[in-house]
Amino acid sequence: MPKLSPSSYALQLSNASTLTKTLSCNLPTLSHFNYTDYTNFYEPSDDTFLMCDALSLDLPSSSPKRVLELGIGSGCNIVHAAGLGGVEVCFALDVNPYAVEATKRTWEANEIQGVEFYVSRSDLLGEGTEAWWPSVDCVIFNPPYVPTPDEE
């Protein structure tokens, strides 16, 4: 499968009856990263872009005010969620310090306005999370995966 572009794309989803639906959304800019940046945190890939599509379809109808992403990688998903409108506060957590810095860079590069943003090197139950955790309306978690051959 070809690598999808992190700007705007269309993804074809097909089921056994050959019904095809095209999903598309505008993605946050990631042009502030270069190849060497991705050696330290998860590079956005097809699963990232599919998550952005799912957020585009589901987040507006559920109207969350406070969104948390756990395992932020580049920050693509939390920045996309913030840009959909209606979100007031975003929390972003990762145990990887490079992912924390990458997410800060993505937030700044996309110039998100009117949304409070908190990013921290922590896990879900880390120190300080108990103060805001009960008030989160939506949790985003898109764990990285390693594709394997069908035989496995």
Side-chain angles (χ1 to χ4, degrees):
M1 180 175 220
K3 194 97 168 148
L4 298 176
S5 166
S7 57
S8 182
Y9 72 99
L11 178 63
Q12 298 289 320
L13 302 175
S14 300
N15 65 19
S17 65
T18 67
L19 172 66
T20 302
K21 181 177 183 181
T22 302
L23 302 174
S24 64
C25 64
N26 290 320
L27 298 171
T29 183
L30 300 170
S31 61
H32 51 283
F33 295 127
N34 61 47
Y35 178 75
T36 58
D37 288 323
Y38 294 122
T39 61
N40 296 310
F41 57 88
Y42 184 72
E43 180 178 1
S45 190
D46 300 352
D47 62 315
T48 308
F49 308 138
L50 187 59
M51 176 64 81
C52 285
D53 263 336
L55 291 170
S56 293
L57 291 172
D58 294 338
L59 225 55
S61 62
S62 62
S63 305
K65 300 294 182 205
R66 299 166 70 87
V67 177
L68 161 73
E69 182 175 14
L70 179 64
I72 50 182
S74 68
C76 184
N77 288 322
I78 193 71
V79 169
H80 181 71
L84 292 174
V87 175
E88 296 173 358
V89 183
C90 287
F91 301 99
L93 301 177
D94 204 301
V95 296
N96 180 344
Y98 297 106
V100 169
E101 290 306 312
T103 297
K104 288 177 185 177
R105 289 172 57 196
T106 300
W107 189 271
E108 292 167 3
N110 285 276
E111 301 176 350
I112 302 296
Q113 302 294 317
V115 179
E116 290 180 58
F117 178 62
Y118 302 94
V119 61
S120 179
R121 182 178 178 206
S122 179
D123 59 26
L124 188 57
L125 303 174
E127 187 175 327
T129 61
E130 66 278 352
W132 52 261
W133 174 240
S135 65
V136 170
D137 301 315
C138 175
V139 176
I140 302 169
F141 182 59
N142 186 35
Y145 69 97
V146 178
T148 58
D150 290 339
E151 298 80 40
E152 288 186 29

